[in-house]
Amino acid sequence: MKRVLTVITVLAVILSFSMVYAQKPEETKQPAKPVETKPAEVTQQAKPAEAVTVKVDKNQLSGGGKITITGKAPAGKDVYIEVWSERTVRAARLDADPDPKTGKRPYIFYMTDEMPGFYKLIIPEKYKSVLEEAKKEGKKWSVSKVIKDAGADAVYGYPAKIKIDRYQTSLWASIIGSRGQKLDPMDEKENKKRSMQLLKARFRSVGAIFSSNLKIEEDGSFKATVEIPSNAAPGKYFVVAKVDKDIKSEPVVVENSISFPSVYLPNAGRTVNVIWPFLLTAAITTFGVLMGAGGGFILNPILVMLGLPHTVVAGTVMPTVLFSQATGIYNYSKIKFISWKLGVTLGLAMLVGGFIGPKLTELITLDQYKFLFGWVLIILSALMLWQTTPKYLEKNKKEQAILKEFKKRAEEAAKKKQQGGK
Amino acid sequence: MKIEFWGQEFKVNLAIGIPGAFLIAIMSSMFGFGGGPFMVPLMAVGLRLPIYVIVGSSLLAIFFNTLMGTFRHYGFGNFDLIFFLIMFPAAILGGYIGPKIAKRLDPITVKRVACAGLLILALQLLGVF
């Protein structure tokens, strides 16, 4: 009897232990499990009140247009809508603001190629004042402050996850023309913070990133409109309504199509009607030739003012003038009108300068570009005015006469040579 | 440095020429133009060269800048092919029309108009209006 009892108690103890241990792993697993599957559980747990649905009035756009977004969210909760384009563009920013603690300037260059060409975060109407305040701050407004004040920190999603590279630049890196030393990838939190700064660097104005026309009714249904501008990229646009990080709708896709003569400039990230830049370039280069210059210095500021990124403008106009310069050199060389020694000597100095300049375009902001270019143009117009003063003209007249004489002689000599050669 | 041009000899002060060309190249490649409008005054006033030496040689000098600037901008991914394909034929067209109407226009008037236009553009860039 005693034996039976001890066997039973031992068995009971083993059983209870085994039960405890069998349960324990499950228990330890459990806290991890809900984290993984929570979003699914929350939406599926037969709690329709927690789900968010979203609808758009049209799935097809042609050259931009207005989309009305409607949907339903749990009653009494703030809803935010994120809209972004599938096409991405480059955004870059040099962080040269002194550190508030140490006063040191970090000189870190942040760059991404994954910035959506179009991004909008629509916040509920009641946060309208947040946007108005940001607008009052002028150029110094901060994306992260708006997001925080509008309670959108948890829903700010898509750009937070883009891949951002960062480089430690230095004076030396600028001189040798590299982007600098590539630093380790950032953690999620830092990436999110920097993505907000890049968002501002790319879209600049409060109104380009945020809109507050989201009406929420008491029962949780909401309505908003978003305007896809006619110069926006073609392709898919995604619309997602979010209540917080986990409660969000499935993305709705809107397709934007464009047709010729509109074309999409992938690097500049916008759609243009071919006719306008063509006419503009033709008119300005004609005028440039009349002045005896290429015209790039007029074309560039106009293109920048039309809203194209300054890096792309500078990078694309340069090769355009390259060919007219080459033909000019060819024509002058035919009539022996070039001092190769002088041209090459000064040219080598310019070669070094031309190595550094494009790097600077990348590092400066649009506002700095405009400021510097503004002063360059003032100096240039002063130079031009000086070229129309009577004193200069008098001197110039003589020189022009000499130039003409030399040109005539040169052309005659070239002709003779050609005839002789034949 | 001494150069010979059409039987005449000129002295070129490289202490002005090289730093000047270097700075002009940095600035113009940064903004994306060749630098001709600055090189010509530099060579005329700074180096005291006559205009008939300048026209061809300055073009050769800025070609180096444009060539290097083009490669660099391309390397940094700032070049947009489609945009280029729109502007390039327009630039050729401009180069063709320009000389045709040049004879009918007074160059001084053209320069004064350009001067006023540049000033307006500059003030707009600076955000004055």
Side-chain angles (χ1 to χ4, degrees):
Chain A
M1 198 58 193
K2 220 181 173 182
R3 241 182 216 178
V4 175
L5 264 175
T6 45
V7 169
I8 287 172
T9 44
V10 167
L11 274 176
V13 168
I14 290 170
L15 205 75
S16 61
F17 263 84
S18 69
M19 271 168 77
V20 166
Y21 274 103
Q23 259 180 349
K24 242 198 175 143
E26 241 172 68
E27 266 175 8
T28 48
K29 236 185 210 172
Q30 225 148 20
K33 225 177 166 186
V35 173
E36 282 169 0
T37 54
K38 211 171 196 171
E41 269 176 28
V42 167
T43 43
Q44 282 169 10
Q45 259 173 8
K47 266 199 208 161
E50 288 283 286
V52 185
T53 56
V54 67
K55 266 187 203 157
V56 291
D57 63 338
K58 48 190 161 213
N59 292 92
Q60 285 289 333
L61 286 175
S62 177
K66 212 173 220 179
I67 315 169
T68 306
I69 304 162
T70 51
K72 194 154 168 36
K77 286 205 168 163
D78 285 346
V79 182
Y80 301 84
I81 299 175
E82 260 190 321
V83 183
W84 70 90
S85 67
E86 160 195 49
R87 298 265 189 154
T88 58
V89 288
R90 174 178 290 178
R93 176 179 180 270
L94 176 70
D95 187 9
D97 299 333
D99 190 293
K101 279 177 208 156
T102 57
K104 264 190 181 171
R105 290 174 191 272
Y107 292 117
I108 293 176
F109 183 64
Y110 294 90
M111 193 176 81
T112 179
D113 281 315
E114 294 179 11
M115 182 61 75
F118 177 89
Y119 177 76
K120 203 131 214 177
L121 183 60
I122 311 175
I123 60 172
E125 230 174 7
K126 64 174 178 183
Y127 294 115
K128 208 174 179 179
S129 60
V130 175
L131 299 190
E132 273 159 14
E133 240 167 71
K135 274 176 197 162
K136 268 184 218 152
E137 280 173 56
K139 284 172 187 164
K140 283 201 168 157
W141 75 282
S142 140
V143 174
S144 62
K145 190 171 176 289
V146 171
I147 286 177
K148 209 175 138 206
D149 290 353
D153 201 44
V155 299
Y156 172 74
Y158 183 77
K161 294 185 189 90
I162 56 178
K163 186 175 165 283
I164 300 170
D165 289 327
R166 54 178 184 162
Y167 302 87
Q168 176 71 58
T169 65
S170 58
L171 186 64
W172 179 240
S174 297
I175 290 169
I176 62 165
S178 88
R179 282 201 166 118
Q181 191 194 350
K182 196 169 175 180
L183 300 172
D184 296 334
M186 292 174 282
D187 62 12
E188 215 173 290
K189 205 179 149 197
E190 182 76 5
N191 206 72
K192 186 174 176 182
K193 179 183 158 197
R194 299 300 173 185
S195 77
M196 292 182 191
Q197 292 174 334
L198 287 175
L199 208 59
K200 189 192 165 194
R202 175 76 202 184
F203 298 106
R204 302 180 54 239
S205 74
V206 182
I209 307 171
F210 298 100
S211 126
S212 62
N213 62 20
L214 179 63
K215 257 190 205 139
I216 306 172
E217 304 294 336
E218 266 173 36
D219 66 343
S221 62
F222 58 86
K223 189 181 169 190
T225 55
V226 64
E227 172 101 34
I228 308 291
S230 59
N231 63 13
K236 290 190 176 91
Y237 283 75
F238 301 98
V239 181
V240 175
K242 292 183 174 177
V243 170
D244 60 38
K245 204 178 166 201
D246 298 327
I247 308 176
K248 61 183 175 191
S249 72
E250 288 294 311
V252 175
V253 179
V254 178
E255 185 94 28
N256 184 25
S257 55
I258 58 166
S259 53
F260 198 79
S262 288
V263 291
Y264 177 64
L265 309 178
N267 251 1
R270 56 180 57 226
T271 299
V272 292
N273 189 324
V274 170
I275 296 161
W276 297 117
F278 185 85
L279 288 181
L280 187 73
T281 312
I284 287 167
T285 46
T286 305
F287 191 70
V289 170
L290 290 179
M291 285 189 313
F297 55 91
I298 310 176
L299 188 59
N300 288 3
I302 292 179
L303 290 172
V304 167
M305 276 193 281
L306 291 177
L308 290 159
H310 61 283
T311 47
V312 174
V313 167
T316 313
V317 172
M318 271 208 124
T320 315
V321 292
L322 188 68
F323 293 90
S324 60
Q325 285 173 8
T327 42
I329 291 169
Y330 176 70
N331 287 335
Y332 279 125
S333 74
K334 253 195 348 200
I335 56 169
K336 294 209 166 138
F337 233 75
I338 290 177
S339 164
W340 291 95
K341 199 174 161 191
L342 178 65
V344 170
T345 311
L346 295 183
L348 288 177
M350 297 198 92
L351 200 68
V352 184
F355 196 81
I356 301 172
K359 168 80 192 167
L360 296 175
T361 320
E362 206 180 46
L363 292 181
I364 59 171
T365 65
L366 181 62
D367 292 318
Q368 287 162 334
Y369 182 89
K370 280 184 174 173
F371 178 80
L372 292 170
F373 211 159
W375 282 105
V376 166
L377 288 183
I378 285 178
I379 296 168
L380 199 58
S381 71
L383 273 177
M384 290 215 151
L385 192 69
W386 167 70
Q387 286 174 3
T388 62
T389 52
K391 206 179 158 192
Y392 179 90
L393 287 175
E394 181 98 359
K395 202 179 153 222
N396 198 40
K397 228 180 201 168
K398 282 185 209 155
E399 293 212 338
Q400 286 294 343
I402 300 172
L403 178 65
K404 241 183 201 164
E405 180 57 34
F406 269 94
K407 261 191 180 167
K408 216 172 111 194
R409 263 194 255 168
E411 267 158 18
E412 273 167 11
K415 249 184 210 166
K416 251 184 206 165
K417 209 180 172 188
Q418 230 175 18
Q419 281 167 349
K422 272 178 189 171
Chain B
M1 187 179 79
K2 274 181 191 167
I3 57 155
E4 215 201 277
F5 197 79
W6 285 84
Q8 274 178 292
E9 204 167 77
F10 299 97
K11 253 188 168 172
V12 180
N13 187 354
L14 289 182
I16 298 173
I18 286 181
F22 173 69
L23 291 175
I24 289 171
I26 291 184
M27 182 202 67
S28 55
S29 62
M30 175 175 170
F31 294 120
F33 59 89
F38 290 94
M39 265 321 262
V40 174
L42 175 83
M43 289 165 89
V45 182
L47 302 179
R48 306 193 153 275
L49 293 169
I51 194 88
Y52 67 95
V53 182
I54 296 172
V55 279
S57 310
S58 73
L59 198 60
L60 179 62
I62 62 170
F63 182 72
F64 281 84
N65 175 33
T66 323
L67 192 67
M68 184 50 112
T70 299
F71 279 124
R72 296 290 290 163
H73 276 299
Y74 183 79
F76 285 135
N78 293 334
F79 172 74
D80 196 310
L81 180 68
I82 294 171
F83 195 27
F84 173 74
L85 291 177
I86 298 170
M87 289 200 294
F88 186 55
I92 293 174
L93 191 70
Y96 180 74
I97 303 170
K100 297 225 153 181
I101 51 175
K103 288 164 199 160
R104 294 183 210 162
L105 287 172
D106 178 19
I108 298 161
T109 321
V110 171
K111 269 199 180 141
R112 286 195 176 141
V113 169
C115 181
L118 281 178
L119 207 59
I120 292 170
L121 212 55
L123 293 177
Q124 253 173 9
L125 280 179
L126 293 173
V128 177
F129 64 87

